[in-house]
Amino acid sequence: MSQQLPVHLEDVLGTRTLGLADLTIGELLAANRLPETMFQPYVVKGATATPVPLTTRLDDLPEDAERLLVRAIRNTLFPTVLPADGEPLGPVGPPGAGIGFRSVRTAPDGTAHEVHATVGQDEARSIVASQVAEFEEKYALSDGGCVFGISGGGDSNALAYGLANSVPRNRLTAFTLVFGAVFSPEAAVRAGVLCQDLGIDHRVLSPEDIAELLGVRTSMDELYKDFSDTFTHEALHFFGTFLILRTARKLADQQGLRDLAFGYNREDLLAEAMFMVMNGRRPLSYPVRTVGRHRVVMPVWKAPKLLLDACHPNFSLENYRERDPYTTRQRSLAFFLAHAMDSAYPSFGLSVLTGMSQAFDGAWGEVTHHEDLDVFVTEQASTQSIEQVRRLLSRHFGEGAVN
């Protein structure tokens, strides 16, 4: 038997080894894709069944126990949800190159059957290109033309590939911001290679270029320091989004283009929608969102993030390893739960997104443009937070930008 490979979990905070021994009862259920809160375990000895917690390690079960009984506490017809006993839960044999997807199909007798597929780079690009082509046909991106930011990461790389195959190249402009605290120079190199291969006009903006374009009268370093002091490093991603959206709008106005394309994927929109709902707010519209005279369009909104990463996998890995460790707790939780949906049941997240888009049609949350700030504000923004933003921007933007 070959020696088991160590499994390392890598994220923005570091690397740790995943423990594969000493599983608890709850972890055993999770390994079989069963939600632990749906079951109560019992240790059975003769006619006595004693409840034990889900945190009990399998190694710690009494040696004289006859069996461990895990009882479902809901009337759930499991064969209609999960594959029947004896069916493989994953591909047989050594792993192939690519990303794995699974789907559940229902047989005529009502039982669930799981199907696995491995998607390589070429197939991933083909799937994304088809989704963007379908989106272009429905929302006429070619008519207005698109400006989009490209970071050298999975989402924007896949978006660039899809747009290049659906929209005339002379109606596309890509840009990459280079600002050490937020956007790395290496990202611009990756983005430049991809755009050159695709024949897309690509602009790389240095901190001085960004300041000139956006009308920053101090400097990008001073603006970022002020933002960090005011809102803390945890809000770094919101600062990046502010820069990208304002830059996209400025470039679109300069070139007479209408649409601002973003690589928002399935889990991005699920996370955003859940964040809004769990805070008692209406979600913002997707996959098209009006911001003043422009449209924010989301051509790859149906695609899971794994599929977008698979289009340029090595670039994606490099991009993740350059990520900063800053974010908010609620943002982390929203992304975690968004990814948990498809993990619990294939394509469940897409079903939720599709259903929400129908439920909120005509009743989306509103975004209001504040002309003196030149920012778009959601309806939950308080007067105090708006004034805080006003004071910050007034310290760094020219007289014409903020009064």
Side-chain angles (χ1 to χ4, degrees), residues 147-150 173-180 182-185 187-189 191-192 201-214 220 243-252 254-255:
V147 170
F148 65 97
I150 180 166
T173 293
F175 68 91
T176 303
L177 305 182
V178 176
F179 178 50
V182 187
F183 307 106
S184 73
V189 174
D201 177 43
H202 179 224
R203 292 188 58 180
V204 177
L205 302 177
S206 68
E208 294 74 22
D209 296 329
I210 300 170
E212 181 179 357
L213 179 68
L214 302 187
M220 290 301 299
L243 288 183
I244 292 171
L245 179 59
R246 183 166 284 197
T247 299
R249 291 170 52 225
K250 292 288 186 180
L251 292 177
Q254 285 182 358
Q255 301 183 36

Side-chain angles (χ1 to χ4, degrees), residues 229-403:
D229 291 343
T230 304
F231 298 108
T232 79
H233 286 294
E234 289 186 346
L236 172 65
H237 290 284
F238 302 109
F239 179 76
T241 301
F242 164 77
L243 288 183
I244 292 171
L245 179 59
R246 183 166 284 197
T247 299
R249 291 170 52 225
K250 292 288 186 180
L251 292 177
D253 285 341
Q254 285 182 358
Q255 301 183 36
L257 303 177
R258 176 189 63 192
D259 294 332
L260 318 176
F262 283 77
Y264 294 138
N265 55 60
R266 182 186 302 180
E267 292 88 0
D268 285 337
L269 293 179
L270 279 169
E272 180 188 84
M274 285 192 296
F275 178 86
M276 298 292 281
V277 171
M278 72 186 187
N279 284 286
R281 304 298 180 182
R282 297 179 295 169
L284 302 179
S285 62
Y286 60 83
V288 174
R289 184 176 301 166
T290 300
V291 287
R293 54 186 170 273
H294 301 293
R295 297 190 309 179
V296 169
V297 295
M298 311 166 197
V300 295
W301 73 282
K302 293 182 179 180
K305 187 164 183 58
L306 275 176
L307 179 64
L308 302 182
D309 283 349
C311 293
H312 304 86
N314 291 330
F315 279 0
S316 297
L317 180 58
E318 291 175 23
N319 177 265
Y320 290 132
R321 286 179 168 171
E322 294 168 4
R323 294 286 178 92
D324 58 80
Y326 304 121
T327 191
T328 62
R329 181 182 178 276
Q330 278 203 342
R331 191 171 188 265
S332 293
L333 177 60
F335 278 121
F336 183 88
L337 295 176
H339 283 274
M341 287 190 182
D342 279 6
S343 297
Y345 199 82
S347 296
F348 178 62
L350 181 58
S351 297
V352 171
L353 270 186
T354 303
M356 289 184 69
S357 69
Q358 297 170 356
F360 284 95
D361 186 26
W364 294 107
E366 296 180 359
V367 177
T368 304
H369 184 231
H370 280 233
E371 292 187 11
D372 57 337
L373 300 176
D374 193 22
V375 295
F376 293 87
V377 180
T378 59
E379 55 193 351
Q380 70 262 37
S382 66
T383 302
Q384 180 181 359
S385 63
I386 293 175
E387 184 57 33
Q388 194 174 26
V389 171
R390 183 191 307 279
R391 290 195 299 269
L392 187 150
L393 295 182
S394 67
R395 293 192 287 268
H396 300 278
F397 286 83
E399 293 292 331
V402 180
N403 297 322

